[in-house]
Amino acid sequence: MKSLNNANCNMQTHAQGQNEQEQEKKKKRYWLLLLLLLLLLGICAGGSYYFKKIMPQPNGTIKIQNGEENEDGKKDPLDGLYVTYSGITDTTISDKSVVELKNLKENGDIIMKFEIYENSKLLYSSDYIKSGEHINWEAGKDLSVGEHTLSVIQTPQIEVDGEYIPLTSGTCECILTKI
């Protein structure tokens, strides 16, 4: 009888050992799965940041809509006005390269001024450009060899009753690499 109890006890101990091993395997799988999930999230976040930096800047549109009336009881002439900003693509340039700065045709009566900065230093400032027109910035002459992270500020204005009214500026960042 004693040997039967010993055998039964050995079977229980063996079964408990197997159960503990299975639980350890499950824990290891859980941690491995969690680690892989975190790695995947990190890759997605890094890829998203990378592609945002190298992809061309899209045009941005801002709609002005305040629905207010002026003192004369007339509707605000800026209400419902759209301003579309052009983007500049990250690119490589040489000494003779120019960058086309456009005021898009969609802007109608809006005139646009461009200012280009590197590290808060003004590199270029344009005159106001009519919609549908562009000017060429001779970036190859203004920049030294190397990589340049630039802020391009686009400042729109519209004429209302003989006065030019400044609108919300738009800013994009681009990287020009001069070789």
Side-chain angles (χ1 to χ4, degrees):
M1 188 81 160
K2 210 173 198 184
S3 77
L4 188 58
N5 279 341
N6 281 343
N8 196 15
C9 187
N10 285 341
M11 285 175 55
Q12 284 179 344
T13 304
H14 182 67
Q16 285 175 344
Q18 280 184 329
N19 216 5
E20 287 174 5
Q21 285 177 345
E22 285 178 31
Q23 286 178 350
E24 283 297 317
K25 284 181 182 179
K26 283 182 182 180
K27 281 184 184 178
K28 286 180 182 178
R29 283 188 209 135
Y30 170 79
W31 286 109
L32 182 61
L33 191 62
L34 184 62
L35 183 63
L36 288 173
L37 180 63
L38 289 173
L39 181 63
L40 183 62
L41 285 173
I43 290 170
C44 289
S48 173
Y49 175 76
Y50 175 76
F51 284 111
K52 274 186 179 176
K53 288 299 254 181
I54 66 165
M55 295 302 288
Q57 297 287 334
N59 293 338
T61 301
I62 294 178
K63 181 179 182 184
I64 299 169
Q65 188 168 13
N66 58 20
E68 297 176 6
E69 295 179 349
N70 60 22
E71 309 87 51
D72 302 333
K74 295 179 184 175
K75 184 179 172 189
D76 185 339
L78 303 180
D79 196 26
L81 180 71
Y82 285 89
V83 180
T84 303
Y85 300 91
S86 59
I88 296 178
T89 308
D90 296 347
T91 192
T92 301
I93 63 170
S94 67
D95 284 336
K96 296 180 182 182
S97 295
V98 295
V99 174
E100 189 176 86
L101 304 173
K102 295 184 214 178
N103 182 3
L104 301 173
K105 185 171 62 172
E106 296 91 340
N107 285 332
D109 294 331
I110 295 172
I111 57 174
M112 188 80 69
K113 178 179 183 171
F114 288 81
E115 293 179 327
I116 300 173
Y117 292 86
E118 181 176 30
N119 300 322
S120 302
K121 179 185 173 199
L122 180 65
L123 298 177
Y124 179 79
S125 181
S126 75
D127 291 329
Y128 279 96
I129 307 165
K130 293 180 182 179
S131 67
E133 295 182 6
H134 73 274
I135 58 168
N136 290 325
W137 169 45
E138 295 178 338
K141 289 182 179 178
D142 291 344
L143 298 174
S144 61
V145 173
E147 186 174 283
H148 301 272
T149 301
L150 306 176
S151 293
V152 180
I153 300 174
Q154 299 174 57
T155 306
Q157 288 192 0
I158 188 163
E159 185 180 359
V160 176
D161 298 329
E163 281 186 51
Y164 279 99
I165 298 173
L167 304 173
T168 304
S169 295
T171 303
C172 73
E173 217 175 70
C174 65
I175 298 173
L176 297 185
T177 305
K178 183 174 177 183
I179 54 171

